[in-house]
Coordinates of all heavy atoms in Angstrom, one line a residue:
K30 N 98.9 36.2 124.8 CA 99.4 34.9 125.1 C 99.1 34.6 126.6 O 99.0 33.4 127.0 CB 100.9 34.7 124.8 CG 101.8 35.7 125.7 CD 103.2 35.4 125.3 CE 104.1 36.3 126.1 NZ 105.6 36.1 125.8
D31 N 99.0 35.6 127.4 CA 98.7 35.4 128.8 C 97.2 35.5 129.2 O 96.8 35.4 130.3 CB 99.4 36.5 129.7 CG 101.0 36.4 129.5 OD1 101.4 35.3 129.4 OD2 101.6 37.4 129.6
S32 N 96.4 35.5 128.1 CA 95.0 35.6 128.3 C 94.2 34.4 127.8 O 93.0 34.5 127.7 CB 94.5 36.9 127.6 OG 95.1 38.0 128.0
C33 N 94.9 33.3 127.6 CA 94.3 32.1 127.1 C 94.6 31.0 128.0 O 95.8 30.7 128.3 CB 94.8 31.8 125.7 SG 93.9 30.5 124.8
Y34 N 93.6 30.2 128.5 CA 93.8 29.2 129.5 C 93.2 27.9 129.0 O 92.0 27.9 128.6 CB 93.3 29.6 130.8 CG 93.7 31.0 131.3 CD1 92.9 32.1 131.0 CD2 94.9 31.2 131.9 CE1 93.3 33.4 131.4 CE2 95.3 32.4 132.3 CZ 94.5 33.5 132.1 OH 94.9 34.8 132.4
C35 N 94.0 26.8 129.1 CA 93.4 25.5 128.7 C 94.4 24.4 129.2 O 95.5 24.7 129.7 CB 93.3 25.4 127.1 SG 94.9 25.7 126.2
D36 N 93.9 23.2 129.1 CA 94.7 22.0 129.5 C 94.7 21.0 128.4 O 93.6 20.8 127.7 CB 94.0 21.4 130.8 CG 94.9 20.3 131.4 OD1 95.1 19.3 130.7 OD2 95.3 20.5 132.5
R37 N 95.8 20.5 128.1 CA 95.9 19.5 127.0 C 94.9 18.4 127.1 O 94.5 17.8 126.1 CB 97.3 19.0 126.8 CG 98.4 20.0 126.4 CD 99.8 19.4 126.4 NE 100.8 20.4 126.0 CZ 101.1 20.7 124.7 NH1 100.4 20.1 123.7 NH2 102.0 21.6 124.5
K38 N 94.6 18.0 128.3 CA 93.7 16.8 128.5 C 92.2 17.2 128.6 O 91.4 16.4 128.7 CB 94.1 16.1 129.8 CG 95.5 15.5 129.7 CD 95.8 14.8 131.0 CE 97.3 14.3 131.0 NZ 97.6 13.6 132.3
S39 N 92.0 18.5 128.5 CA 90.6 19.0 128.6 C 90.1 19.6 127.3 O 90.9 20.1 126.5 CB 90.5 20.1 129.7 OG 89.2 20.7 129.7
S40 N 88.8 19.6 127.1 CA 88.2 20.2 125.9 C 87.8 21.6 126.1 O 87.2 22.2 125.2 CB 87.0 19.3 125.4 OG 86.0 19.3 126.4
H41 N 88.0 22.1 127.3 CA 87.5 23.4 127.7 C 88.6 24.5 127.5 O 89.7 24.3 127.9 CB 87.0 23.4 129.1 CG 85.8 22.5 129.4 ND1 84.5 22.9 129.1 CD2 85.8 21.3 129.9 CE1 83.7 21.9 129.4 NE2 84.4 20.9 129.9
L42 N 88.2 25.6 126.9 CA 89.1 26.7 126.6 C 88.5 27.9 127.2 O 87.3 28.2 126.9 CB 89.3 26.8 125.1 CG 90.0 28.1 124.6 CD1 91.5 28.0 125.0 CD2 89.9 28.2 123.1
V43 N 89.3 28.7 127.9 CA 88.9 30.0 128.4 C 89.8 31.0 127.9 O 91.1 30.9 128.0 CB 88.8 30.0 130.0 CG1 88.5 31.4 130.5 CG2 87.8 29.0 130.5
F44 N 89.3 32.1 127.4 CA 90.2 33.2 126.9 C 89.6 34.6 127.2 O 88.4 34.7 127.3 CB 90.6 33.0 125.4 CG 89.4 33.2 124.5 CD1 89.1 34.4 123.9 CD2 88.7 32.0 124.1 CE1 88.0 34.5 123.0 CE2 87.6 32.2 123.3 CZ 87.3 33.4 122.7
L45 N 90.4 35.6 127.2 CA 90.0 36.9 127.4 C 90.2 37.7 126.2 O 91.3 37.7 125.6 CB 90.8 37.5 128.6 CG 90.5 39.0 129.0 CD1 90.6 39.1 130.5 CD2 91.4 40.0 128.3
F46 N 89.2 38.5 125.8 CA 89.3 39.4 124.6 C 89.2 40.9 125.1 O 88.3 41.2 125.9 CB 88.2 39.1 123.6 CG 88.2 40.1 122.5 CD1 89.0 39.9 121.4 CD2 87.3 41.2 122.5 CE1 89.0 40.9 120.3 CE2 87.3 42.1 121.5 CZ 88.1 41.9 120.4
K47 N 90.0 41.7 124.6 CA 89.9 43.2 124.8 C 90.6 43.9 123.7 O 91.4 43.4 122.9 CB 90.6 43.5 126.1 CG 92.1 43.3 126.2 CD 92.6 43.7 127.5 CE 94.1 43.5 127.6 NZ 94.7 43.8 128.9
S48 N 90.2 45.2 123.6 CA 90.8 46.1 122.6 C 90.7 47.5 123.2 O 90.1 47.7 124.2 CB 90.0 46.0 121.3 OG 88.8 46.7 121.4
P49 N 91.4 48.5 122.5 CA 91.3 49.8 123.0 C 89.9 50.4 123.2 O 89.7 51.3 124.0 CB 92.1 50.6 122.0 CG 93.1 49.6 121.5 CD 92.3 48.4 121.4
L50 N 89.0 49.8 122.5 CA 87.6 50.3 122.5 C 86.6 49.3 123.2 O 85.4 49.5 123.3 CB 87.1 50.6 121.1 CG 87.8 51.7 120.4 CD1 87.2 51.9 119.0 CD2 87.8 53.0 121.2
T51 N 87.1 48.1 123.6 CA 86.3 47.1 124.2 C 86.8 46.6 125.5 O 88.0 46.2 125.6 CB 86.2 45.8 123.2 OG1 85.8 46.2 121.9 CG2 85.3 44.8 123.8
P52 N 86.1 46.8 126.6 CA 86.5 46.3 127.9 C 86.7 44.8 127.8 O 86.2 44.1 127.0 CB 85.3 46.7 128.8 CG 84.6 47.7 128.1 CD 84.7 47.4 126.6
A53 N 87.5 44.3 128.8 CA 87.8 42.9 128.8 C 86.6 42.0 129.0 O 85.7 42.3 129.8 CB 88.8 42.6 129.9
I54 N 86.5 40.9 128.1 CA 85.4 40.0 128.2 C 86.0 38.6 128.3 O 86.8 38.2 127.5 CB 84.4 40.1 127.0 CG1 83.9 41.5 126.8 CG2 83.3 39.1 127.1 CD1 83.0 41.7 125.6
N55 N 85.6 37.8 129.3 CA 86.1 36.4 129.4 C 85.1 35.5 128.7 O 83.9 35.5 129.0 CB 86.2 36.0 130.9 CG 87.4 36.6 131.5 OD1 88.6 36.4 131.0 ND2 87.3 37.4 132.5
Y56 N 85.6 34.6 127.8 CA 84.8 33.7 127.1 C 85.2 32.2 127.5 O 86.3 31.9 127.8 CB 85.0 33.8 125.6 CG 84.4 35.1 125.0 CD1 85.2 36.2 124.8 CD2 83.0 35.1 124.6 CE1 84.7 37.3 124.2 CE2 82.5 36.3 124.1 CZ 83.3 37.4 123.9 OH 82.8 38.5 123.3
H57 N 84.2 31.3 127.3 CA 84.4 29.9 127.5 C 83.9 29.2 126.3 O 82.9 29.5 125.7 CB 83.7 29.4 128.8 CG 83.6 27.9 128.8 ND1 82.5 27.2 128.4 CD2 84.5 27.0 129.2 CE1 82.7 25.9 128.6 NE2 83.9 25.7 129.0
C58 N 84.7 28.2 125.9 CA 84.3 27.4 124.7 C 84.6 25.9 125.0 O 85.7 25.5 125.5 CB 85.1 27.9 123.5 SG 84.8 26.9 122.0
D59 N 83.6 25.1 124.6 CA 83.8 23.6 124.8 C 84.1 23.0 123.4 O 83.3 22.9 122.5 CB 82.5 23.0 125.3 CG 82.7 21.5 125.7 OD1 83.8 20.9 125.3 OD2 81.8 20.9 126.3
L60 N 85.4 22.6 123.2 CA 85.9 22.2 121.9 C 85.4 20.8 121.5 O 85.6 20.3 120.4 CB 87.4 22.2 121.9 CG 88.1 23.6 122.1 CD1 89.6 23.4 122.1 CD2 87.6 24.6 121.1
S61 N 84.8 20.1 122.5 CA 84.2 18.7 122.2 C 82.9 18.8 121.4 O 82.5 17.8 120.9 CB 84.0 18.0 123.5 OG 83.0 18.5 124.3
K62 N 82.3 20.0 121.4 CA 81.0 20.1 120.7 C 81.2 20.4 119.2 O 82.3 20.9 118.8 CB 80.2 21.2 121.3 CG 79.8 20.9 122.8 CD 78.9 22.1 123.3 CE 78.5 21.8 124.8 NZ 77.7 22.9 125.3
A63 N 80.3 20.0 118.4 CA 80.4 20.2 117.0 C 80.5 21.7 116.6 O 81.2 22.1 115.7 CB 79.2 19.5 116.3
S64 N 79.7 22.5 117.3 CA 79.7 23.9 117.1 C 80.4 24.6 118.3 O 80.1 24.4 119.4 CB 78.3 24.5 116.9 OG 77.5 24.2 118.1

């Protein structure tokens, strides 16, 4: 819950993914796009 960042007025979402076998990776997603 502390690894996801967004703003209600923005279509941009940034989140961090990690697991015991995967180092942390920061992703960006534009929710305004069809894909």
Side-chain angles (χ1 to χ4, degrees):
K30 64 179 182 179
D31 297 326
S32 303
C33 187
Y34 310 94
C35 57
D36 188 301
R37 292 180 181 273
K38 299 180 180 179
S39 173
S40 62
H41 297 279
L42 170 68
V43 176
F44 65 92
L45 179 146
F46 173 84
K47 64 180 179 180
S48 78
L50 298 178
T51 305
I54 304 175
N55 284 301
Y56 290 97
H57 166 259
C58 178
D59 187 349
L60 301 178
S61 66
K62 295 182 178 179
S64 59

